[in-house]
Amino acid sequence: MSFRGIVIEQTVEKGRIRDHSAEIQDIPESFLEGSGGDAPVDIDVMYSGINYKDGLAVAGKPGVARTSPLIPGIDLVGKVTASKDDRFSSGQTVVLTGGGAGESAHGGLATRARVSGEYLVALPEGFDARRAAAIGTAGFTAMLSILALEREGLTPDDGPVVVTGAAGGVGSTAIAVLAKLGYSVTAATGRVESQGDYLRKLGATDIIDRSELSEKGPALQKRRWAAGLDTAGSTTLANILSQTQDEGVVTTCGLAQGPDLPATVMPFILRGVTLVGINSVTAPRAVREQAWKRLADDLSTDLLDQMTDEITLDDVPARADAILAGEVRGRTVVSVNG
Ligand SMILES: NC(=O)c1ccc[n+]([C@@H]2O[C@H](COP(=O)([O-])OP(=O)(O)OC[C@H]3O[C@@H](n4cnc5c(N)ncnc54)[C@H](OP(=O)(O)O)[C@@H]3O)[C@@H](O)[C@H]2O)c1
């Protein structure tokens, strides 16, 4: 028995990747032996997705694929075919985002997977499999960020929320959910011309060019935002902190501009601003289930469909390059059997 999927092979020397290949192969079932730990769950995969991290892994950039050979894909949605984990049974539709899949363990860019049940979630009743994959890590991270803003007490009456990386996967989902919840959302994008209409359709009330936030600015600036949902890091995040009103809150999940944070403590000590870190990879089960339930309730399926493009395994290498080049809009679902 064999199955079809992408296999990354590479060697890492002093942090540099050598002899990288990412090819579609017929993979023997034995390839998955030992995957999923002591109580593995076997899955017939229906859909995976392309996140920024998948782009890095497939294109041979460092930091994501931590073992070789490796099936990439940090997301998967599929049907359980066998489970040694009591929490799951054959026939169940499940979703996995993160948890090491596609990084240190085999992931979802193949027709079969064997994973640990630790980060697996049974799809909420009535949740469509393709839409769950369309949400994937990016949409899940957007919801984790919104849950964090709510935990800090944010309400729509507090004022505008700025979302960076607006036309990307996290940004698009965040805008759609925040707008549905009644927030006034400012979308910061590098693609005002080409994606302005798209962002307005998702629910953005204002659109600004991301260059407004990307240059180094003063430690305290005019108060513009009740909250920020940042995917960019670097000076963009520093400026958002400096522009956040008293007792406001900002979440940080990404590094689209850079991993540095050239900020001062002034927004924290003079305006009581809170900065909350978001890590989707190892979010605990209870939080995962809460986030998926909220995504079922608060994300318009119409808007999700409008932000989703579908490709097959054959298209993955080109899409990986495109996401790294910042050319992908919204979310990409991979129909692994297509
Ligand atoms: N912490 C976590 O658990 C977690 C989970 C998911 C993702 N992430 C991270 O979050 C970020 C966004 O992920 P994603 O899946 O949404 O990726 P994505 O679909 O590739 O979107 C990233 C967006 O960032 C914007 N961007 C690109 N270069 C930029 C720059 N130099 N300065 C400011 N913005 C820039 C672009 O949006 P515009 O064209 O609209 O400007 C781009 O579409 C990535 O860094 C990813 O690694 C983290």
Side-chain angles (χ1 to χ4, degrees):
M1 277 269 286
S2 68
F3 62 97
R4 196 161 179 265
I6 295 179
V7 177
I8 291 176
E9 292 185 65
Q10 60 192 23
T11 52
V12 182
E13 274 171 37
K14 296 183 183 148
R16 298 185 76 126
I17 291 184
R18 300 198 190 282
D19 307 319
H20 167 86
S21 66
E23 282 170 2
I24 298 178
Q25 298 184 11
D26 282 323
I27 306 167
E29 196 81 19
S30 57
F31 192 85
L32 295 177
E33 257 166 39
S35 296
D38 296 338
V41 183
D42 283 350
I43 296 167
D44 271 345
V45 182
M46 292 184 266
Y47 297 102
S48 184
I50 302 290
N51 295 278
Y52 195 82
K53 267 188 176 175
D54 300 311
L56 292 172
V58 171
K61 308 284 183 211
V64 178
R66 294 179 216 287
T67 175
S68 174
L70 174 76
I71 298 172
I74 66 172
D75 294 342
L76 68 82
V77 177
K79 274 212 184 317
V80 175
T81 57
S83 177
K84 294 211 164 105
D85 184 322
D86 295 343
R87 295 171 291 190
F88 301 97
S89 51
S90 292
Q92 246 180 339
T93 306
V94 288
V95 55
L96 176 67
T97 57
E103 297 191 60
S104 51
H106 295 310
L109 284 165
T111 56
R112 295 276 292 155
R114 181 171 297 158
V115 302
S116 156
E118 204 46 41
Y119 298 105
L120 212 53
V121 171
L123 269 192
E125 194 68 30
F127 215 119
D128 177 79
R130 183 181 182 277
R131 288 187 175 131
I135 290 169
T137 286
F140 176 65
T141 303
M143 184 48 88
L144 291 182
S145 306
I146 292 165
L147 289 172
L149 297 177
E150 291 177 348
R151 254 195 330 270
E152 294 300 323
L154 186 75
T155 68
D157 292 339
D158 292 328
V161 181
V162 62
V163 174
T164 59
V170 176
S172 294
T173 321
I175 291 167
V177 173
L178 286 167
K180 187 169 176 195
L181 292 172
Y183 287 91
S184 162
V185 184
T186 299
T189 180
R191 296 180 273 179
V192 175
E193 282 296 308
S194 62
Q195 303 306 334
D197 288 346
Y198 163 78
L199 294 168
R200 267 186 210 95
K201 257 192 218 144
L202 294 183
T205 31
D206 284 301
I207 296 170
I208 60 171
D209 197 299
R210 74 181 187 214
S211 60
E212 269 190 45
L213 297 169
S214 60
E215 301 302 320
K216 195 165 169 33
L220 288 174
Q221 302 173 33
K222 183 171 171 244
R223 294 165 173 86
R224 294 177 78 182
W225 324 114
L229 193 154
D230 181 56
T231 66
S234 195
T235 37
T236 297
L237 176 55
N239 282 320
I240 289 174
L241 290 166
S242 302
Q243 296 170 3
T244 296
Q245 67 195 33
D246 297 53
E247 308 307 323
V249 52
V250 179
T251 59
T252 168
C253 74
L255 35 64
Q257 186 183 4
D260 55 328
L261 181 52
T264 75
V265 296
M266 301 309 243
F268 308 116
I269 65 173
L270 294 183
R271 293 184 180 169
V273 170
T274 298
L275 178 60
V276 185
I278 303 296
N279 175 13
S280 65
V281 179
T282 53
R285 170 167 301 280
V287 177
R288 279 175 192 265
E289 289 176 347
Q290 184 196 13
W292 281 102
K293 165 98 185 41
R294 284 290 302 274
L295 284 159
D297 293 344
D298 296 332
L299 176 59
S300 149
T301 49
D302 259 10
L303 291 181
L304 178 61
D305 292 348
Q306 284 179 46
M307 69 174 85
T308 303
D309 187 25
E310 182 174 317
I311 63 171
T312 64
L313 281 177
D314 299 291
D315 307 319
V316 166
R319 190 54 64 102
D321 290 339
I323 200 165
L324 297 184
E327 291 162 0
V328 173
R329 176 178 96 176
R331 292 286 297 145
T332 302
V333 156
V334 182
S335 172
V336 297
N337 297 292

